[in-house]
Amino acid sequence: MIDSPTLRPARSTLAAVSALLCVGLLLLIGLWIYWPGIQGPELLDDRSSVLVIDDLKDRPELALDYIFGDTSGALGRSVSMASFVLEKMYLDEGISGGKKVNIVLHLLNGGLVIWLFWLLFRYLEVPGYRALAVVLGAIWLLHPLLVSTVLYVVQRMAMLATFFMLLACICYVYWRLGMMAGKVGTWRFLPVPLLLVVALLAKENAIVLVPIVLLLEVWWFECKGERGEVIPWLRRLCYGLIAMGAIALASILLFQWDTLAERMHRRPFSLTERLLTQSRVVWDYVAQSVNPQVARMGLYHDDIVVSTSLLEPVSTLFAVIAWIVVVLVGGLLLRSRGGRWIALGVAWFLLGHSVESTVLPLEMYFEHRNYFPLIGLVLLLGSLFAVVVKKWPEPRAPLLVCLGLCVLVLSGLTSSQVQIWSNRSLLLLTQLNAHPHSVRANIDMATEMARLGQIEAAFDYSKRAFEASTNAASVQERSGDYQIRNLALSCIANKPVPDAMIDGLGREDPKRPLSSVTTLLTMVRLLQDNRCPQIDRIRFADRVAEIFLVDDFRRKASANIYSNLAVLENSLQRYDNAFAYTERFLALSPNNTRGLLMKLHFATALGKVEDAQAVIAVLQQMDQQGKLTVAQQQNLALYLGN
């Protein structure tokens, strides 16, 4: 058939329409695969960041408290919290509604990934770029490694950050394409920094967008202008910013190493151990991206072995050597144009992990950290395709078919993962089978057994959790945490508790018997709600008071332990002990607003007028400085009215 110039626009339009129809079909398939996941349970931080939001329909004035009151990130993550607040106000379907929103957001992100790849590979004039963009987007959208992000509601923070980062990348590409078409306009670039700011307010690791855009410019667009010539000012600017960033990071590592290392004091591993371990962890992310082993996938990876040196375990040495090889090969790739495309995919992935997998005092391993970086590995795959078909166009169709088969395999794996995540018991059992030495997996199974009334099995899993906590990567438990968890399990199972269990609290490690705020809080809430009639609440509170109402309280426990114990004593209307605990809480966490309000409440109940007036004066000063939320202002007003 003759390729007539008059037929080319029509064929191009037909190809574009066909590709868009495929995108629509792909998103429907993604919706169908993920939708069963809405029946899944709440998990970990869902309880502390999402489910704590009260009904705002009757008290909408409290919405801003939740939006700007979150402390999970340095910038507050107000954009992410706003999404949770709006969901609560207008959808309010609990954890199921949160999962629905996440699924829709994931589909939108999949569409943006396709859009970005469409633009990038069209610029390179890659044969079949439309089909390539759709297939690559499908690989990302339907990859099983992302299930633990989409169906873990609180990780909407990572998803929203990715959403705005992708929009920023797309806007940047349009600005550059416009510049090369002779359409120069600052307003075209303006959305990029604005979207970056919004992304940062969703989650702080969006800062990696800056180096990614710079590398996108120098390696993909090569700082070229309207006639293919290099734009000098743009090249100087990009390379200058890259150099400044590299120097700044090197300076921080060189001159702030001790400060960074000190921030690890609350973790059972050092900064050096974390960096060595991450050299293995990130390779494991790569392996799970290329060859997914769904049996190991999930939320709990606190059983990972910490690298204490290059040879402990020896796989650390191999991982470090492999990264050195990647750097060397990357340097060689930069010598060719196609090599730079490939290098961009690698750099995207590594920069995506540069915040959460380096020097910050975070846990070792979470799959949701791959949500944005995985785009880089998919881009790497597309770049390899582009290099091949631009030189040898003939294999284009077979390669696209192979990529399509990959999509089918990945979608099957993702579907199986979603089915697991849609059922609480199945999810817990799968996590335990995959990670038998995970503290959290064993605790969850212990709780599940207690709910079924199987107290002996619950105690067995509780013991396994305590024994597994000696792993340096996991939650570090003390004997008191183990004892209190067993009391809580007895309560959940509605089994009698001998007095000896209560009297034995803190005997084995009297200097600092508790470390887990969550375990104590669970027990306090059970007692506070009077859900443990078989437990002598007064005996428990008296035993705890013997341990913690002592002179050397600073070394006994963290501030939040004392806060929880004050809540317990408040439920028992023993305000003298509650006041004492609050004093200790404020000594460890000075001017904590919640602690001050608690102290005001207990001082008023005890008739301590001077103490109450002193607290009121501090709170009023904080209010004048704008440090009180609406709810805290309302709480304070109750005492001012008296």
Side-chain angles (χ1 to χ4, degrees):
M1 181 180 293
I2 299 176
D3 189 13
S4 170
T6 59
L7 294 178
R8 289 175 188 169
R11 289 177 180 170
S12 179
T13 302
L14 179 61
V17 171
S18 299
L20 291 175
L21 289 175
C22 289
V23 172
L25 179 61
L26 170 64
L27 297 181
L28 288 175
I29 292 172
L31 182 66
W32 175 68
I33 288 175
Y34 267 102
W35 201 250
I38 66 173
Q39 302 301 325
E42 76 282 356
L43 300 158
L44 295 180
D45 290 345
D46 286 344
R47 304 179 184 102
S48 59
S49 296
V50 181
L51 296 181
V52 294
I53 300 176
D54 294 326
D55 186 358
L56 299 174
K57 294 178 181 178
D58 295 331
R59 302 182 67 189
E61 70 276 6
L62 300 183
L64 293 180
D65 288 357
Y66 291 106
I67 293 174
F68 296 107
D70 184 75
T71 58
S72 56
L75 301 179
R77 302 182 182 179
S78 54
V79 169
S80 296
M81 292 308 300
S83 76
F84 295 130
V85 167
L86 291 173
E87 176 195 323
K88 183 69 176 181
M89 294 178 70
Y90 298 106
L91 184 60
D92 198 15
E93 294 183 7
I95 208 69
S96 175
K99 292 178 188 288
K100 290 178 182 178
V101 174
N102 276 22
I103 292 171
V104 172
L105 180 57
H106 182 55
L107 298 177
L108 290 174
N109 283 339
L112 292 179
V113 169
I114 294 172
W115 189 358
L116 178 61
F117 287 165
W118 186 305
L119 294 173
L120 291 177
F121 291 112
R122 184 182 68 180
Y123 167 73
L124 298 182
E125 298 180 339
V126 177
Y129 70 87
R130 298 183 185 90
L132 176 63
V134 174
V135 174
L136 292 177
I139 289 174
W140 182 84
L141 181 72
L142 300 177
H143 201 291
L145 190 59
L146 304 185
V147 171
S148 58
T149 306
V150 180
L151 297 182
Y152 182 14
V153 175
V154 78
Q155 287 312 317
R156 187 180 306 166
M157 296 176 178
M159 299 174 70
L160 277 171
T162 297
F163 176 79
F164 293 111
M165 293 164 78
L166 286 169
L167 280 178
C169 288
I170 290 169
C171 289
Y172 185 84
V173 172
Y174 272 116
W175 174 68
R176 285 297 286 118
L177 294 176
M179 180 181 292
M180 284 183 279
K183 301 175 182 178
V184 180
T186 306
W187 64 271
R188 294 175 181 270
F189 179 77
L190 186 60
V192 178
L194 294 178
L195 288 167
L196 171 61
V197 171
V198 178
L200 287 169
L201 294 176
K203 194 172 183 180
E204 296 79 2
N205 59 351
I207 192 63
V208 302
L209 178 64
V210 175
I212 285 175
V213 168
L214 290 172
L215 293 180
L216 178 66
E217 178 59 56
V218 300
W219 289 349
W220 201 273
F221 295 111
E222 301 174 306
C223 303
K224 291 183 178 179
E226 184 177 357
R227 291 180 294 276
E229 80 288 357
V230 173
I231 304 174
W233 69 265
L234 184 58
R235 185 174 184 177
R236 288 195 300 269
L237 176 64
C238 290
Y239 279 102
L241 290 174
I242 291 172
M244 289 172 58
I247 293 172
L249 290 176
S251 299
I252 291 173
L253 289 176
L254 182 62
F255 299 110
Q256 299 294 322
W257 180 267
D258 292 340
T259 302
L260 294 171
E262 176 61 27
R263 296 181 65 185
M264 296 285 172
H265 72 280
R266 293 187 178 180
R267 294 292 180 186
F269 44 79
S270 67
L271 176 57
T272 301
E273 289 172 339
R274 186 174 201 278
L275 291 174
L276 289 173
T277 307
Q278 286 304 307
S279 69
R280 295 168 34 232
V281 167
V282 178
W283 272 122
D284 193 68
Y285 292 154
V286 174
Q288 288 288 58
S289 301
V290 176
N291 181 29
Q293 299 177 22
V294 294
R296 291 198 301 114
M297 288 184 180
L299 190 60
Y300 300 146
H301 294 273
D302 54 327
D303 56 345
I304 190 169
V305 176
V306 172
S307 297
T308 57
S309 70
L310 282 173
L311 298 177
E312 293 292 338
V314 71
S315 56
T316 310
L317 177 61
F318 299 145
V320 172
I321 293 174
W323 285 122
I324 294 173
V325 172
V326 167
V327 173
L328 294 176
V329 172
L332 294 175
L333 287 173
L334 295 180
R335 300 174 65 180
S336 67
R337 189 182 183 210
R340 288 192 287 273
W341 305 339
I342 296 171
L344 178 62
V346 177
W348 186 305
F349 176 77
L350 293 178
L351 287 169
H353 281 294
S354 63
V355 173
E356 294 177 301
S357 298
T358 52
V359 298
L360 295 183
L362 305 174
E363 291 192 37
M364 287 293 189
Y365 193 121
F366 273 119
E367 290 174 8
H368 62 251
R369 294 173 184 169
N370 289 277
Y371 193 76
F372 180 76
L374 184 61
I375 299 173
L377 292 185
V378 179
L379 178 61
L380 166 62
L381 184 62
S383 297
L384 289 170
F385 177 94
V387 169
V388 172
V389 301
K390 282 182 73 68
K391 190 170 185 179
W392 303 288
E394 295 79 9
R396 181 186 71 183
L399 288 175
L400 285 173
V401 170
C402 289
L403 291 176
L405 291 175
C406 290
V407 173
L408 289 177
V409 173
L410 291 174
S411 62
L413 296 175
T414 297
S415 179
S416 68
Q417 283 292 94
V418 170
Q419 294 300 323
I420 291 172
W421 279 69
S422 65
N423 183 282
R424 177 184 175 84
S425 297
L426 184 58
L427 177 61
L428 297 182
L429 184 60
T430 303
Q431 296 293 287
L432 186 64
N433 288 337
H435 303 279
H437 301 294
S438 164
V439 175
R440 291 190 176 111
N442 279 284
I443 290 175
D444 278 356
M445 187 55 68
T447 304
E448 190 72 4
M449 289 295 101
R451 287 172 177 166
L452 297 174
Q454 304 294 323
I455 192 61
E456 294 303 323
F459 284 161
D460 181 51
Y461 284 114
S462 178
K463 182 179 180 181
R464 294 183 190 181
F466 179 59
E467 292 172 346
S469 70
T470 57
N471 180 6
S474 65
V475 178
Q476 300 294 292
E477 288 196 325
R478 297 180 180 272
S479 59
D481 302 319
Y482 173 46
Q483 293 169 314
I484 288 182
R485 180 169 61 247
N486 284 348
L487 286 172
L489 292 172
S490 299
C491 174
I492 294 171
N494 197 25
K495 299 296 182 180
V497 174
D499 291 342
M501 284 186 69
I502 298 176
D503 297 338
L505 285 175
R507 301 291 185 191
E508 295 184 22
D509 192 5
K511 292 184 177 180
R512 194 175 178 92
L514 298 181
S515 63
S516 175
V517 175
T518 303
T519 302
L520 178 62
L521 180 60
T522 299
M523 187 66 201
V524 168
R525 285 175 175 171
L526 289 170
L527 295 174
Q528 184 181 23
D529 297 339
N530 202 22
R531 292 168 56 188
C532 304
Q534 71 274 33
I535 293 181
D536 187 339
R537 297 195 299 171
I538 300 298
R539 192 184 193 97
F540 176 83
D542 285 343
R543 176 57 195 148
V544 172
E546 291 174 8
I547 299 171
F548 291 104
L549 290 183
V550 293
D551 293 335
D552 57 339
F553 69 91
R554 292 180 182 275
R555 297 183 179 181
K556 277 283 184 179
S558 65
N560 287 328
I561 294 288
Y562 292 111
S563 171
N564 291 338
L565 293 176
V567 172
L568 172 63
E569 293 288 2
N570 180 57
S571 68
L572 299 175
Q573 297 184 356
R574 304 202 314 185
Y575 301 120
D576 50 349
N577 280 358
F579 184 85
Y581 283 131
T582 305
E583 290 273 65
R584 286 157 172 72
F585 173 43
L586 288 171
L588 295 172
S589 182
N591 290 330
N592 181 286
T593 308
R594 178 170 174 267
L596 289 170
L597 287 169
M598 291 171 64
K599 182 177 180 179
L600 176 58
H601 171 69
F602 301 137
T604 303
L606 293 169
K608 296 178 177 289
V609 178
E610 293 184 1
D611 287 316
Q613 291 300 321
V615 174
I616 288 174
V618 174
L619 288 170
Q620 286 179 324
Q621 184 178 6
M622 295 175 69
D623 189 23
Q624 293 172 359
Q625 297 171 350
K627 295 181 179 180
L628 298 189
T629 65
V630 173
Q632 290 166 349
Q633 291 172 347
Q634 293 176 349
N635 199 344
L636 176 60
L638 296 176
Y639 296 93
L640 295 177
N642 292 331

